[in-house]
């Protein structure tokens, strides 16, 4: 659907902060199994956006569950508003991403190696789908190594005025 351009979005207004809370809660068992602390950091009490709630939920779920696979002890989920967009940053304290291959992370079927696993889990399509969803919303998604340890996946959705 994404590649053929047939995927449609059905935007509604919803609280992205509440959506992030719900995703984090749904992944509690997985994060506790890995003994990870997951924090939601948002200054505002609510953050209303206009987007396809189910698709944005899929992006947040995918990015947080990926962070759980790679984090050592902690994941921080930041929601940062600006004049033009709302940014979600999922920051982990794992090994980070290989600078030489980080641009491949959003390619179909590419899977980063996980040091604690024998072989990657999943299809290698999660980040590709996340990128397509964010692009359908006219947003941007990126990955960066943190200054020290781990990686941050960030997506920004434009605020519709």
């Amino acid at each position: 659907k994404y590649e053929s351009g047939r995927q449609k979005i059905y935007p509604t207004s919803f609280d992205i902060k509440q959506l992030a809370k719900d995703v984090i809660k749904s992944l509690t068992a997985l994060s506790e199994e890995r003994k990870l602390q997951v924090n939601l950091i948002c200054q505002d009490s609510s953050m209303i956006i206009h987007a396809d709630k189910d698709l944005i939920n899929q992006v947040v779920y995918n990015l947080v569950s990926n962070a759980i696979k790679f984090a050592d002890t902690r994941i921080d989920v930041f929601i940062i508003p600006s004049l033009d967009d709302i940014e979600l940053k999922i920051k982990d304290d794992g090994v980070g991403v290989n600078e030489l291959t980080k641009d491949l992370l959003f390619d179909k079927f590419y899977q980063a190696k996980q040091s604690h696993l024998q072989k990657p889990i999943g299809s290698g399509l999660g980040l590709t789908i996340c990128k397509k969803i964010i692009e359908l919303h006219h947003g941007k998604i990126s990955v960066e190594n943190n200054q020290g340890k781990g990686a941050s996946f960030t997506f920004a959705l434009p605020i519709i005025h």
Side-chain angles (χ1 to χ4, degrees):
K1 279 183 162 182
Y2 292 105
E3 286 198 350
S4 68
R6 292 181 311 173
Q7 178 64 45
K8 304 261 188 274
I9 60 172
Y10 300 97
T12 60
S13 295
F14 63 94
D15 184 350
I16 188 87
K17 183 176 181 182
Q18 186 60 52
L19 182 142
K21 280 183 186 178
D22 293 344
V23 167
I24 291 166
K25 185 177 180 182
S26 75
L27 290 165
T28 298
L30 196 55
S31 60
E32 286 178 350
E33 182 181 306
R34 297 239 20 253
K35 297 177 177 46
L36 299 173
Q37 181 182 357
V38 182
N39 308 296
L40 177 60
I41 301 156
C42 179
Q43 303 304 328
D44 298 336
S45 58
S46 69
M47 302 287 301
I48 304 300
I49 67 167
H50 194 72
D52 188 311
K53 185 177 181 180
D54 291 337
L55 293 178
I56 298 305
N57 187 79
Q58 185 177 351
V59 171
V60 176
Y61 183 92
N62 198 334
L63 294 176
V64 174
S65 63
N66 280 353
I68 289 170
K69 292 177 195 173
F70 291 95
D72 285 338
T73 62
R74 175 186 182 105
I75 298 165
D76 292 321
V77 178
F78 298 91
I79 302 175
I80 307 157
S82 73
L83 291 175
D84 298 323
D85 58 30
I86 291 181
E87 190 175 276
L88 236 89
K89 178 185 284 192
I90 294 90
K91 179 180 177 184
D92 69 63
D93 66 349
V95 296
V97 294
N98 184 325
E99 284 294 330
L100 299 173
T101 59
K102 79 177 187 181
D103 293 334
L104 300 174
L105 289 176
F106 295 102
D107 289 352
K108 277 192 300 186
F109 307 118
Y110 182 82
Q111 293 180 312
K113 293 197 176 13
Q114 294 163 273
S115 59
H116 64 283
L117 297 175
Q118 292 294 333
K119 64 182 193 120
I121 295 173
S123 64
L125 291 172
L127 291 175
T128 303
I129 292 170
C130 288
K131 182 178 181 190
K132 297 283 188 193
I133 290 170
I134 296 304
E135 288 173 348
L136 276 173
H137 286 84
H138 306 288
K140 294 180 180 118
I141 188 166
S142 62
V143 59
E144 295 299 325
N145 279 308
N146 299 329
Q147 299 288 70
K149 194 170 186 192
S152 293
F153 283 81
T154 305
F155 71 88
L157 295 172
I159 295 175
I160 299 172
H161 299 288

